């Protein structure tokens, strides 16, 4: 069986963009692949975090994975820092990746632009840690949103270079970026992606844990345009984004949706979108609350054990290739 690996950071709150761009596809793919879903807490600490919140958010994200439909009997769910091989392989790959490659990463450049002097070395090295995450599991496919495309390309380059210089060690993974939903935009600013770390745009971000009132308020205030027609049209990003969300939440076709809203105004679309979204979030929020704490600990423990066994094999292989095993005898 081919493998998939993906992860999300336990920072901020999981939003509809994370779900529609990534988590939804993990659920859809998990039975067709041997699946590994990681809570990437080592990535989370690349920006300063309150340690108590890191621990709490890690467990909350694990609950969210389960509540949206990740089945721990089918998929391996685990916390990144529970498998030390992630950090160890990162070091080995640091010696293969090039500074010039990392300097080209747009996410890194954006963070430097915003925070200048305050960017950690971890932010710079983030894509190498991500490469280690993926390569440790001999991953074939990585379901992610579009913002991770460049990091995936770097992962492939690192794997190809390592295999060439130190012998066949890693499967070279392919990205799985959905045709629709790979880049859900902020409701407050359709030029920006929906993002949990963008403090200014909380209003543009529907969180999976938002209550009904927050969902209604955010859709009501969503930016639109001066047009009137409700149509899928990429040249009208605000309305296109709202319709894309509606399409993904209802599974109605674009033609059906356009027919449904023919002659209606933006207010009707926003109201219907809020209703659909609230109905979608309700069972997820109920499941999050109903997951037993001990059961969650058990799932994460078993997940870490399963992940560790595979990760260690790959790590040893990579160390052997580099001449790091066998020097004592
Ligand atoms: N707006 C989005 N539309 C579609 N997919 C998205 N993803 C993130 N934002 C969108 C995908 O969600 C997965 C998990 O993301 P992450 O936790 O690694 O965080 P991120 O990619 O850095 O994006 P966030 O959640 O909004 O956080 P920040 O604040 O860092 O920008 C990934 O597969 C991602 O592609």
């Amino acid at each position: 069986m081919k493998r998939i690996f993906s992860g999300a950071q336990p920072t901020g709150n999981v939003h509809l963009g994370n779900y529609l761009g990534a988590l939804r596809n993990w659920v859809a793919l998990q039975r067709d692949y041997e699946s590994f879903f990681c809570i990437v807490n080592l990535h989370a600490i690349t920006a300063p975090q309150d340690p108590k919140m890191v621990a709490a958010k890690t467990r909350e994200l694990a609950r969210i994975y389960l509540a949206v439909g990740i089945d721990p009997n089918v998929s391996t769910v685990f916390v990144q820092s529970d498998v030390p091989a992630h950090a160890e392989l990162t070091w080995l790959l640091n010696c293969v990746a090039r500074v010039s490659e990392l300097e080209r990463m747009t996410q890194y450049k954006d963070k430097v632009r915003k925070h200048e002097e305050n960017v950690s070395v971890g932010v710079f090295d983030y894509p190498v840690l991500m490469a280690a995450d993926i390569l440790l599991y001999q991953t074939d496919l990585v379901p992610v949103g579009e913002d991770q495309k460049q990091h995936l390309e770097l992962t492939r380059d690192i794997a190809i270079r390592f295999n060439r210089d130190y012998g066949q060690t890693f499967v070279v993974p392919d990205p799985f970026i959905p045709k629709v939903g790979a880049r859900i935009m902020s409701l407050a600013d359709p030029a920006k992606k929906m993002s949990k770390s963008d403090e200014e745009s909380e209003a543009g971000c529907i969180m999976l844990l938002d209550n009904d009132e927050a969902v209604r308020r955010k859709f009501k205030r969503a930016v639109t345009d001066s047009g009137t027609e409700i149509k899928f049209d990429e040249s009208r990003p605000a309305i296109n984004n709202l319709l894309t969300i509606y399409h993904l939440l209802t599974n109605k076709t674009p033609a059906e949706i356009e027919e449904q809203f023919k002659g209606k105004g933006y207010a009707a679309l926003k109201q219907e979108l809020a209703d659909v979204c609230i109905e979608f979030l309700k069972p997820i929020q109920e499941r999050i609350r109903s997951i037993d704490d001990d059961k969650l600990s058990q799932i994460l423990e078993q997940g870490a054990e399963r992940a560790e066994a595979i990760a260690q094999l790959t790590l040893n292989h990579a160390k052997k290739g580099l001449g790091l095993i066998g020097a004592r005898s």
Side-chain angles (χ1 to χ4, degrees):
M1 216 177 189
K2 292 201 166 194
R3 286 202 183 132
I4 57 176
F5 174 96
S6 201
Q9 302 183 69
T11 49
N13 290 307
V14 178
H15 52 73
L16 210 50
N18 296 134
Y19 175 76
L20 297 175
L23 271 67
R24 178 177 191 265
N25 299 313
W26 305 357
V27 175
L29 293 167
Q30 66 179 334
R31 287 187 169 75
D32 299 332
Y33 291 81
E34 189 183 355
S35 306
F36 295 82
F37 300 117
C38 186
I39 294 134
V40 294
N41 58 348
L42 297 177
H43 281 97
I45 60 165
T46 56
Q49 306 288 340
D50 172 353
K52 283 202 198 86
M53 287 307 284
V54 175
K57 286 280 170 192
T58 297
R59 287 184 75 81
E60 182 184 283
L61 185 53
R63 283 174 183 277
I64 290 176
Y65 282 9
L66 303 177
V68 299
I70 299 296
D71 179 351
N73 297 314
V74 170
S75 302
T76 300
V77 177
F78 69 104
V79 177
Q80 190 182 29
S81 63
D82 285 342
V83 181
H86 287 250
E88 202 173 344
L89 184 63
T90 300
W91 180 256
L92 308 187
L93 300 183
N94 275 338
C95 301
V96 173
R98 304 283 181 261
V99 168
S100 57
E101 289 174 314
L102 296 184
E103 279 173 343
R104 280 200 293 274
M105 296 294 114
T106 51
Q107 241 177 44
Y108 164 71
K109 288 198 282 189
D110 283 350
K111 297 214 160 132
V112 171
R113 209 174 302 129
K114 275 191 209 150
H115 306 291
E116 284 190 31
E117 295 301 308
N118 266 335
V119 172
S120 70
V121 174
V123 168
F124 184 63
D125 206 25
Y126 183 111
V128 182
L129 177 58
M130 182 167 155
D133 298 340
I134 294 164
L135 299 179
L136 274 176
Y137 299 93
Q138 306 295 354
T139 302
D140 297 284
L141 203 65
V142 187
V144 283
E146 204 209 50
D147 61 337
Q148 296 301 330
K149 189 170 174 221
Q150 195 186 28
H151 290 163
L152 243 303
E153 279 160 11
L154 179 70
T155 299
R156 288 173 56 85
D157 290 344
I158 291 174
I160 291 167
R161 193 176 308 144
F162 194 104
N163 289 344
R164 183 197 66 198
D165 294 347
Y166 303 108
Q168 178 59 41
T169 309
F170 301 120
V171 168
V172 180
D174 285 312
F176 177 93
I177 297 175
K179 284 200 184 75
V180 184
R183 192 171 176 82
I184 298 295
M185 309 311 281
S186 162
L187 304 186
D189 180 355
K192 284 188 187 164
K193 73 159 194 153
M194 198 177 271
S195 162
K196 48 177 133 78
S197 69
D198 187 353
E199 295 99 13
E200 294 153 32
S201 73
E202 210 259 311
C205 215
I206 303 282
M207 310 300 182
L208 295 196
L209 295 172
D210 271 348
N211 61 28
D212 299 2
E213 194 261 323
V215 173
R216 284 200 192 288
R217 187 183 63 243
K218 289 176 186 179
F219 277 119
K220 199 168 177 190
R221 292 191 189 155
V223 167
T224 48
D225 57 31
S226 56
T228 50
E229 222 185 350
I230 297 181
K231 258 187 148 357
F232 284 84
D233 177 355
E234 282 180 14
S235 69
R236 295 166 62 203
I239 209 73
N240 205 60
N241 190 41
L242 294 179
L243 288 171
T244 299
I245 295 172
Y246 190 69
H247 161 60
L248 291 169
L249 290 181
T250 59
N251 288 323
K252 291 181 184 170
T253 65
E256 282 170 341
I257 295 170
E258 287 175 1
E259 183 57 32
Q260 179 183 347
F261 289 104
K262 212 172 183 176
K264 294 190 179 155
Y266 290 161
L269 170 64
K270 288 174 169 188
Q271 169 130 23
E272 170 71 6
L273 201 40
D275 288 344
V276 162
C277 191
I278 288 166
E279 276 312 299
F280 163 75
L281 294 179
K282 200 180 283 167
I284 294 178
Q285 294 176 352
E286 277 164 14
R287 281 198 291 274
I288 289 172
R289 283 192 291 271
S290 74
I291 295 164
D292 177 75
D293 222 36
D294 291 338
K295 178 77 187 153
L296 183 71
S297 303
Q298 196 193 349
I299 289 168
L300 294 178
E301 226 167 90
Q302 282 171 356
E305 263 173 43
R306 268 191 266 169
E308 168 92 44
I310 293 166
Q312 203 55 46
L313 286 178
T314 307
L315 178 65
N316 286 344
H317 193 166
K319 285 170 85 172
K320 228 176 180 170
L322 285 159
L324 300 173
I325 289 182
R328 263 186 310 195
S329 53

